[in-house]
Amino acid sequence: MKLTVAVLSLAVSCFWCHARAATPADALLIHGGRIMTMDPALGDIDNGEILIRAGRIVAVGRNLAAGDARRIDARGQIVLPGFVDAHTHLYVTTMRGQFRNGAGQFFPVSSRLAAVMTPDDTYAAMHLGAVELLYGGVTTTGDFFDNVLTPRHGEAGLRALQDAGIRAVLYYGGPDKTTKQPIDLAQLRELAGGQANDARVRIGLAWRLPRDRTDAANWAMRQQEYDAARSLGLPIQVHVSGEAGPMFDALIERKYLYPGLTVVHATDAAPAQLQALERAGGSLALTPVSEHRVGYGLTRIDQFAAVRRQGLGLDGNALAGSADMFATLRLAALTWSGATRDERLPDPRALLDKATRGGAEALGLAAETGTLTPGKRADLQIVALDALNLAGFGGGDPAALLVYSARPDNVRTVLVDGRIVKRDGRLEGVDLPGLLDNSARSAGEVARRAAP
Ligand SMILES: [Zn+2]
């Protein structure tokens, strides 16, 4: 294993950081762990340290001058960036167990349940989903919120993510999964206008395209939504799924591709379409577990190499089964080696890169998160190795261990923005029995209300 030792410190320049850095209690030192920075220039640091001040990573290396910083002992553990879930739908979290194939397929069932969700149900589902993500080491999510039934639902969704403490882009969408209804552009403008430059939860547009290329009225409506997002400087995620070839072509022909656009799924994209996306500077999000589950085909990560900015997502904790990015990595790796009939592929570190740095780049958040680089916000996870499923690790590549063996329970500590949200295996500041009770109650009420 190549070992890179790097000691960097950063003169933090923003006013807010100077002001906060004066408070010693804000400083935190993580020490003694195997640090996987996922920053190509820094590499891994054995027995390394990370110094955090006012929520920001200020130094990574060894023997750092930490003064009276609070300490987190990471000896015998792996420290890596928090995962970035590049695309999901958190409002379906309380639909777990409802999709049982046969007559209970995801699209009709989730649409029926989603239509009767109140703002409180929306909050319950999205808050639960975000907390579950944090528990499993996911510190950033790109939430495609395509169930904004009323402005109160919109507010509830935003508040759920803010309260959970996760970093997110909340892609604000329409009232259902069809493209028949317009997105509430007045509320989109209001939410986008109200966000601070350094907000932990940002606003984007959750955009869907008409399947009928000749439906001029619908295309005009979609054009208005696109123009509104672009004029507000918002990122856009667009679902390109199912029989998606013509939809991807429409994105290209109508000149919708730009660096702020993330194309989601597109499992059957043609090489020329991916090249067009790359030329335009756009990004890609793939969600292997859900794409397999709903029959989009095998997610062959090896076939998307043309697009540089590329992340992995869950596409809904309930659709993926649970918020398990390790399982997502494992499925992506096994599909790759199985489909190519090549045991030498893939490099597990390349997959881990997509679940961290790649996802941050896809969401346009690479300046803040995705690697453990001085200057970025302190979003990280610490994986403990004293577990039956990780025991027996004698010092090989920790990336292989994480991709093929780890699971959310192994994540002992999680920080977002320098704030500890999981410590010693327990969520901080979360009334877990209350959260579970409330989620079960809401899920039951939604199911009863939606009963045929
Ligand atoms: Zn999706």
Side-chain angles (χ1 to χ4, degrees), residues 23 79 102 331:
T23 315
V79 185
L331 180 65

Side-chain angles (χ1 to χ4, degrees), residues 87 89 239 264-265 315:
H87 172 80
H89 307 262
H239 250 241
V264 184
H265 306 314
D315 207 18

